[in-house]
Amino acid sequence: MTVPTTAAAQRDAREATDVLGAWAAGLEWADVPADAQERMRLVLLDSLGVTVLGARQAEQRALVTAWRPADGPAPLPGAGRCTTVEAAAWLNAAALVRLELDEGHKFAKGHPGAHGLPAVLALAADLRATGPDTAAALVVAYEVAARFGRATSLPPGAHPHGSWGVAGAAAGCARLLGLSSAGLAAAIDTGAGLPVAGSFASALDGNPVRDAWMGASNVSGLVAARMASAGVARNTGTAASSLGGVLGTFDAAPLTAELGTRWDVRHGYFKRHASCSFTHPVADAVLALRPELPGDVGEVEEILVETHSLGAALDRTTWDSRLAALFSTPFVAAAALVHGHVGPDVSAQPVRDDPRVRELAARVTVRVAADLDARLPHERAARVTVRSGGRAHGCEVPNPIGDAAHHPLSEADVLGLLSDWLADDATVAAVRDVATGLPAVPDVRPLLQRLV
């Protein structure tokens, strides 16, 4: 049911977007605090590495072949070629999220980076933008997306991919185009009017349309920025009726709260498990318990997972695709116990059909615990109890390892994960060099093209 938008709500959205546009237009890389700069480089390192990994998957290679992308200036990392800005923005975004390894943000309730970083990088390669301008645009894309994520409350059953984050993609691309404050605001507002209404059931069903929503976000961000550059976009407070009203509810206040003092890029999380973030505390708890459990998983009688309401729907004990497995808490718990990790390989064929994993997953029960629910959004906790041989083994974790507020991952940690997943030292070194060196180069195109 669509909720009518009040004039006051539309005015608040318009005015907040004006303020956000002025901030984004004026931001320089040198203005970003050193720790936020370092975190942005780490987000870029992780995102580029995961994009290369996603690009190497058979499904992504088939998608690129079917797309038949024209030659162009923008690289497809890991795919061995360059293509047009729009094709790179879409295909790289899909590769980035394909294995559920992209960086995320619990307060934004989704993935600010993946919504716009591929578009900004593709456009930067086309424009031969400087490193400082590109780095500033990446920060703008992330921060604006995160603030729109905080401002938007989607209804139960909605997936966050491709909705509130389009505004961030638009902002980053508009900043790269050097638009004025008014132009930035118009681009952001237009991006807020181009959301996808995605169902979480698609992810649970293993439908890759979920990946396409991120591709759409990045291309829509380019569209919004170009409309603003052409002077045909306006800021009318669209978010109040699109993200609010039609898709959910929208409160404009978070768009400008602590603007310039709170850097949301500092507060995200990196993933060490290839699965939905709601399953990560479960995997961490199972791995912590694993040394005290019997070596034969057939002796495990039950695994009880208590979680928060956001993770309640991830309770399916069967799966028929990789994506469906990545969104199954029973799969993740069973795979962690059987294999000792939840890396990308455990959800690939034929490993995901290991009889030990399927049989153990059938003995996993997922329940919502009110006490864990009450700790949202600061904690995304899980409590796991494994019953075996008449004994109960329990472990509770407040947040997944990798969360900025709970065992954050360092650059060495991220590089270690990428080395394990890619098994290619030369590629990992290239990704590291691009992420580290990008903010200082006079022209980002040659640097980014090292990743093909």
Side-chain angles (χ1 to χ4, degrees):
M1 176 180 176
T2 301
V3 178
T5 304
T6 66
Q10 187 172 356
R11 180 200 64 227
D12 290 347
R14 183 177 65 250
E15 292 177 352
T17 300
D18 275 335
V19 172
L20 201 54
W23 171 82
L27 183 72
E28 300 291 341
W29 176 243
D31 300 332
V32 181
D35 64 331
Q37 286 187 353
E38 185 57 33
R39 184 71 177 192
M40 188 70 248
R41 279 190 285 261
L42 193 55
V43 170
L44 184 58
L45 169 68
D46 181 78
S47 298
L48 291 173
V50 170
T51 298
V52 172
L53 182 63
R56 291 181 175 180
Q57 305 307 305
E59 306 95 323
Q60 186 70 17
R61 294 198 304 270
L63 183 59
V64 172
T65 299
W67 195 286
R68 298 175 62 196
D71 292 337
L76 294 176
R81 59 167 302 176
C82 295
T83 185
T84 64
V85 174
E86 286 78 6
W90 202 103
L91 291 167
N92 289 336
L96 174 56
V97 302
R98 181 163 295 285
L99 293 171
E100 266 297 299
L101 284 168
D102 49 309
E103 183 264 3
H105 199 286
K106 64 188 177 187
F107 298 110
K109 306 176 289 289
H111 304 266
H115 274 94
L117 301 193
V120 170
L121 293 172
L123 182 59
D126 181 40
L127 297 176
R128 307 198 77 122
T130 69
D133 277 346
T134 303
L138 291 171
V139 172
V140 165
Y142 192 102
E143 295 294 318
V144 172
R147 286 173 175 276
F148 269 84
R150 288 177 180 266
T152 305
S153 295
L154 297 174
H159 197 287
H161 276 17
S163 55
W164 44 260
V166 183
C173 292
R175 168 62 181 81
L176 203 54
L177 291 170
L179 301 191
S180 66
S181 296
L184 255 296
I188 293 169
D189 186 77
T190 302
L194 292 168
V196 170
S199 169
F200 213 101
S202 296
L204 300 176
D205 292 339
N207 190 329
V209 70
R210 184 209 71 120
D211 302 337
W213 299 333
M214 277 305 195
S217 172
N218 281 268
V219 173
S220 290
L222 285 163
V223 168
R226 285 173 169 152
M227 288 178 64
S229 181
V232 297
R234 299 173 59 203
N235 174 21
T236 61
T238 299
S241 55
S242 57
L243 298 173
V246 173
L247 290 188
T249 59
F250 185 81
D251 175 9
L255 296 187
T256 56
E258 302 176 87
L259 186 61
T261 58
R262 187 194 73 227
W263 298 85
D264 270 321
V265 72
R266 293 169 170 161
H267 303 296
Y269 57 81
F270 295 110
K271 292 183 167 187
R272 65 176 190 144
H273 309 304
S275 60
C276 174
S277 65
F278 298 156
T279 72
H280 283 216
V282 177
D284 290 342
V286 170
L287 292 174
L289 290 172
R290 194 169 185 260
E292 63 187 73
L293 297 173
D296 181 2
V297 297
E299 297 179 27
V300 173
E301 299 150 10
E302 180 191 26
I303 300 178
L304 173 62
V305 173
E306 295 176 276
T307 185
H308 47 75
S309 56
L310 297 177
L314 280 67
D315 62 351
R316 299 186 185 184
T317 57
T318 61
W319 51 89
D320 61 4
S321 68
R322 165 176 258 169
L323 186 59
L326 302 184
F327 278 81
S328 164
T329 294
F331 169 82
V332 170
L337 191 52
V338 169
H339 300 295
H341 68 94
V342 192
D345 57 313
V346 305
S347 58
Q349 285 185 318
V351 182
R352 69 169 176 264
D353 293 322
D354 187 318
R356 296 172 299 168
V357 173
R358 287 200 175 272
E359 291 167 9
L360 186 56
R363 300 195 292 275
V364 176
T365 301
V366 179
R367 294 178 185 166
V368 174
D371 63 316
L372 302 185
D373 223 28
R375 287 147 65 176
L376 292 170
H378 295 280
E379 292 187 7
R380 287 185 172 181
R383 190 161 47 238
V384 175
T385 304
V386 181
R387 294 187 173 87
S388 176
R391 293 184 58 196
H393 307 261
C395 180
E396 179 179 314
V397 295
N399 274 304
I401 292 173
D403 188 281
H406 178 73
H407 293 300
L409 300 186
S410 66
E411 179 182 11
D413 293 327
V414 172
L415 286 170
L417 289 170
L418 294 178
S419 294
D420 289 343
W421 295 335
L422 291 167
D424 180 348
D425 291 343
T427 297
V428 173
V431 169
R432 181 196 60 217
D433 290 348
V434 171
T436 302
L438 182 141
V441 297
D443 176 359
V444 299
R445 185 191 288 182
L447 185 67
L448 291 172
Q449 289 185 346
R450 287 186 57 192
L451 299 175
V452 300

